[in-house]
Every structure is written in C-alpha cells, then in structure tokens.
Amino acid sequence: MFESFGFEETTAKQASVLLAAVVGLAFGVLAQRTRFCFRRSLVGEDRRQALGIWLTALAVAVIGTQAAVFAGLINFDAHRFMVSEVPFLAIAIGGLLFGAGMVLTRGCISRLTVLTGGGNLRAALVVLVFAVVAHATLKGVLAPLRVAVGSVTVDMGESVSLAALPGGALLWGGLIALAALAYALRSGNRPGQLVMAALLGLLVPAAWVGTGFVLLDEFDPIAMESLSFTSPAADSLFWTIASSSIPAGFGTGLLGGVLAGALIASLLFGEFRWQSFDAPRQTGRYMTGAAMMGVGGVLAGGCTLGAGLSGVPTLSLAAIEAIVMIALGAFAMQALLSRSSAADAATSARHQGLPAE
C-alpha cells in the first residue's frame, strides 16, 4: 500500500521511523501520566490500580488487533510469534529472568525508559546496561547461549495460537478483553486514568496496522512491528554508535519518541526531577536486574510490552507463556527480597539487643 502514496524520496523503512516516533511520543506521554508499569501491577503498593491500568490497555489492544485481523488489514501467519517450533525452554527461562530483573530495578524496561525521560539517572543507566546486554545476547558474546537454549523446542504444528482452539479468535480474544475490562472497572481508578490507558492500548494495533498494512511495500518489505523495548533498545544503541553505516529503524524511532514524550509530559506537569543512586549496594542491585532483563527479554522473545501488551493481542501461545513466566519471576524475586529484608531486620535487632518482630 505504501507505494500508492506516491512517495519518491522516502522509503517504507524511513517512513516507519517517523511512524514509530509518533507512536512512541504518544506512549511516553500516556505512560508518564498513568504510571503504566507491569511490575507495579504485580508487586507494587498500589497494585490493584496499576493492574487496572495495564489490563485496560491490554483489553483495548486485543480488541483493536483482532479487529484489524478480522478486517483483513493484517495477519500474523508469518510472524515470529506464530512459528510452529516453539522454544518453550528459552521463553520460560527468559521470562523468569526478566520478571526477577524488573523487581530488582523497580520497574519494567518500558517504565524505566519513561522515567529516564523524567530525569531519573538510575533508570537511564539501567536502560543503557539493558541495551548492551540485550545486544550481546542477540548478536554478541552471549549469542551462543541464546542459540543453545533456543534449540530446545516443541513442535506445536498449527496450534500456536488461541485462534486454533475451539471457538477461535472471536471467543478467546473476547474472553481476554472482557475479563481484563471487568477487573479494570473495579480497580478503583478514575475514569480519566482508564481513558488514557485505553488510548495507550490503541497504540498497539495502530503500530501493527501502520507497519503491516499502511507501509506495506512489496518491493522493499519491512517487518510488521508494534510496541516493544528489547530489540529497539539494542537497535538504538547500535545506531547511536554506528549511525553512519546502520540506518535507523522502527525501534530507534520508537525509543526516541518515548523518551521525548516522557520528557515533555514531566516538564509540562512539573514532575521532572534529577534522581540518582543512594548507595553502591543499590547500584549493584539495579545493574544486576538490568543484565537479567537484557538476557531475559531476548530469550523470552520480548518484554512486558513486546510479549505482553503487543504479543498477547496476537493470541500467540508463546507470547502468553512469556508474560506468565515474567509474572512468576517477579513474584519469586519479590518473595526472596521480602525474606531477605526480614532476615536483615532480625539480625539487626539481635545486634541491638532488641526482640525481633
């Protein structure tokens, strides 16, 4: 369809950078205002409200994505989410690592990117380390590990999607959307917050349709993409240090747009604050979490956005496995940190001659 627009000087890939920047800008603003974060929705102090925001976005993303599929605008038959040989072990290990890492860094990578735009230097360093490790896992020294773990697969045949189950896409997509909305409406969020979450969810099908239909060029095809942060972070890092030989892509535009949107929103609402680490131990914890997310995001095939908010609406079983394992990893790490804090408190009390609580 792209060639019908009559562009002579702009390629589909170049146009995808602009599309991604606009989508990223909108995401940055909306995520900053709603405090959109999967980690917070699982183990945060206000997890009920945070989960309501996340599920509202998911419900709208599912409805919009499946509506686009039904209308024939896009299809995921050749997408990586729908490969018949599912690397279940890599997805499981990667999901657990990513979930544990985002608890250590107190935010999934999308949330940390938004915080970077608001002046949080802790988040900025995490995003940088995450990008380096993700790139190393994709194409560098950790690539052999990725290949070895990813070689353990299960042949799912045609049953790689919920759409292949009895009832098809309409039933399963509808059930996911209805369940998500039912929770969201009882989450205690203000209507305005839910509206912004819904707009955020619309960005998912907008990106799928934009790259898979509007910018479709049979002579110069580009990948069909939506919101994600693992590959975009790695691609943006590589483009930053080698832009003269590596052209920008969708991921580069997306990451830049998110940073710009978060910066604009934080400045407009007076929430921009320079923040940094408080102690070396905290730095070590955040860097460990960043590395775990970098490896985990690649092995799992995406982060909480790539495999979660964008992946689940495709009804891919691999994407669903990834987001479930991310959640389990987060719960496990939170439990471990809680026990460690309790043990430290007991030790401190004994040293001071006080009874432990």
Side-chain angles (χ1 to χ4, degrees), residues 53-81:
I53 293 293
W54 204 89
L55 289 178
T56 298
L58 178 66
V60 175
V62 169
I63 294 169
T65 300
Q66 288 304 309
V69 172
F70 182 78
L73 300 179
I74 56 173
N75 73 76
F76 295 96
D77 293 344
H79 196 272
R80 63 180 179 86
F81 282 141

Side-chain angles (χ1 to χ4, degrees), residues 281 285 336-352 354 356-357:
R281 181 177 181 179
R285 168 178 159 166
L336 182 63
L337 291 178
S338 296
R339 285 197 294 270
S340 177
S341 296
D344 289 345
T347 300
S348 177
R350 284 197 301 270
H351 288 167
Q352 297 177 25
L354 300 173
E357 295 183 358

Side-chain angles (χ1 to χ4, degrees), residues 87-248:
F88 74 96
L89 182 60
I91 294 173
I93 293 174
L96 291 172
L97 283 173
F98 190 95
M102 75 179 186
V103 170
L104 290 176
T105 59
R106 296 186 60 79
C108 57
I109 196 63
S110 60
R111 175 61 178 165
L112 292 167
T113 304
V114 171
L115 289 176
T116 298
N120 191 314
L121 300 179
R122 294 192 304 269
L125 186 55
V126 168
V127 172
L128 177 60
V129 173
F130 170 83
V132 171
V133 176
H135 198 281
T137 308
L138 281 167
K139 303 176 183 179
V141 294
L142 296 178
L145 170 65
R146 171 182 58 79
V147 173
V149 177
S151 65
V152 182
T153 62
V154 172
D155 187 358
M156 300 290 289
E158 299 295 323
S159 303
V160 295
S161 166
L162 290 177
L165 300 179
L170 180 62
L171 172 64
W172 295 102
L175 286 176
I176 292 173
L178 286 174
L181 286 175
Y183 183 95
L185 293 174
R186 293 171 172 80
S187 62
N189 283 292
R190 298 190 305 275
Q193 290 289 98
L194 295 180
V195 169
M196 285 191 289
L199 292 174
L200 192 154
L202 277 176
L203 297 176
V204 171
W208 285 130
V209 172
T211 55
F213 177 70
V214 177
L215 298 183
L216 178 63
D217 186 347
E218 295 180 355
F219 299 101
D220 185 20
I222 61 172
M224 186 168 68
E225 301 181 71
S226 189
L227 295 178
S228 177
F229 278 84
T230 302
S231 291
D235 292 344
S236 297
L237 171 69
F238 201 40
W239 176 79
T240 300
I241 61 179
S243 60
S244 60
S245 58
I246 303 296

Side-chain angles (χ1 to χ4, degrees), residues 9 26 51 58 82 159 190-191 222 254 268 286 288 294 310 327 356:
E9 303 297 330
L51 185 57
L58 178 66
M82 301 300 177
S159 303
R190 298 190 305 275
I222 61 172
L254 180 68
L268 285 176
Y286 274 62
T288 301
S310 297

